Amino acid sequence: MRKLGLIGYPLGHSFSKKYYLAKFEKEKIAHIDYDLYPFENLADFRSIYESDESFAGFNVTIPHKKNVLTLLDELSPEAAQMQAVNCVRIIRENGQVILKGYNTDAYGFEQSLIPLLQPQHRSALVFGNGGAAKAVYYSLERLNIPYQIVSRNKENGDLTYEELTPELIAEHKLLINCSPVGTFPKIDLCPAIPYEGIGTAHLLYDLIYNPEETLFLTKGKERGAAVKNGYEMLVLQAEKNWMIWNEQL
């Protein structure tokens, strides 16, 4: 039995475990398991994969996407640039354990965004500056879409929410929510922006996938904007992880 898993803390509902176990069953992939490893201290996890050769890789979620870097021997180019990792491949050679980190969030976001882009989506406002936002920044830079970061504090972004005006919202036709505001169970919340600036030329993308339609997206739809949630991004990054791990399986 080969092992894959998700590390983070705390770990509640997991898209990853549900997705991979369903994939293994549907595609009749045997002798591999995917489980959750809620480690507050990464040193505790290190002792497990070093002593158990059945581990082939794992996903990484909050709060470890940055501090897992201290365990890694190699980084893919995108992970090195972002300094954030959500996928690790375990390579065992000549008695050595080598860990290589990747960031497939960027791949998932970029591939799900590209089909929706229209000529007017020339600039973006990104709400939030956490770990998930790094994948968005990276992808927008690759796509040559200039962006401004909106945060609660001026030190953490280019603009604060208080500085947003309807005119500024109208100017930027691509609006991306990377904050957790609106996630289940607090589905009656949304980023505090002047929604009256949104029009039919806008595209609103929310990295949240639960609920399927956040209040942020609902308010955009009400004003005629195109909307997209984060579910496809998750599926795409999950499949990219699987391709990476398959180099070892």
Side-chain angles (χ1 to χ4, degrees):
M1 178 67 73
R2 302 292 282 160
K3 294 180 182 178
L4 300 167
L6 172 68
I7 63 169
Y9 190 85
L11 291 178
H13 166 77
S14 167
F15 165 87
S16 298
K17 181 174 181 178
K18 181 179 179 182
Y19 182 84
Y20 287 117
L21 293 183
K23 176 182 176 70
F24 299 158
E25 182 177 0
K26 180 182 178 182
E27 299 180 16
K28 295 180 171 55
I29 300 170
H31 309 300
I32 187 163
D33 190 31
Y34 190 102
D35 210 345
L36 305 181
Y37 299 91
F39 291 99
E40 189 171 10
N41 188 332
L42 276 176
D44 297 332
F45 185 71
R46 185 172 196 163
S47 64
I48 291 180
Y49 70 73
E50 286 183 341
S51 61
D52 188 344
E53 294 189 359
S54 59
F55 275 97
F58 50 93
N59 288 126
V60 185
T61 189
I62 54 174
H64 297 318
K65 286 189 176 185
K66 290 177 72 75
N67 55 23
V68 74
L69 296 172
T70 61
L71 298 183
L72 305 181
D73 303 290
E74 300 177 23
L75 291 174
S76 64
E78 83 286 344
Q81 182 170 330
M82 285 185 268
Q83 288 294 291
V85 163
N86 76 313
C87 176
V88 174
R89 182 163 69 102
I90 301 175
I91 306 162
R92 301 179 191 274
E93 292 180 348
N94 303 318
Q96 285 190 311
V97 180
I98 301 169
L99 270 63
K100 183 170 182 178
Y102 302 79
N103 193 306
T104 59
D105 286 335
Y107 171 84
F109 173 74
E110 187 171 322
Q111 293 302 308
S112 64
L113 177 68
I114 287 173
L116 304 175
L117 292 175
Q118 298 295 325
Q120 71 269 21
H121 300 140
R122 294 187 298 270
S123 63
L125 291 177
V126 182
F127 309 119
N129 61 349
K134 292 185 180 299
V136 171
Y137 306 156
Y138 176 85
S139 296
L140 292 176
E141 288 164 11
R142 277 175 46 88
L143 295 169
N144 295 315
I145 298 175
Y147 63 91
Q148 289 183 285
I149 301 166
V150 183
S151 178
R152 287 174 295 180
N153 301 310
K154 190 73 170 181
E155 302 77 30
N156 297 327
D158 302 304
L159 298 164
T160 64
Y161 287 96
E162 290 74 20
E163 291 176 304
L164 295 178
T165 63
E167 292 75 23
L168 195 55
I169 293 292
E171 179 184 342
H172 298 278
K173 298 297 192 294
L174 177 57
L175 307 178
I176 305 167
N177 180 38
C178 300
S179 80
V181 178
T183 307
F184 180 85
K186 298 181 178 180
I187 62 174
D188 57 339
L189 300 178
C190 61
I193 67 173
Y195 288 90
E196 62 269 28
I198 295 172
T200 56
H202 276 81
L203 168 60
L204 274 64
Y205 192 118
D206 200 328
L207 269 60
I208 295 169
Y209 69 97
N210 184 18
E212 184 175 334
E213 186 177 295
T214 59
L215 185 56
F216 171 70
L217 297 184
T218 297
K219 285 178 172 288
K221 280 178 65 175
E222 288 172 349
R223 302 194 63 82
V227 301
K228 177 78 170 180
N229 71 15
Y231 183 78
E232 186 184 23
M233 173 183 170
L234 279 177
V235 171
L236 289 168
Q237 63 87 23
E239 288 299 317
K240 186 71 169 179
N241 296 337
W242 180 245
M243 290 172 60
I244 291 167
W245 293 327
N246 263 321
E247 297 180 39
Q248 280 298 107
L249 299 174

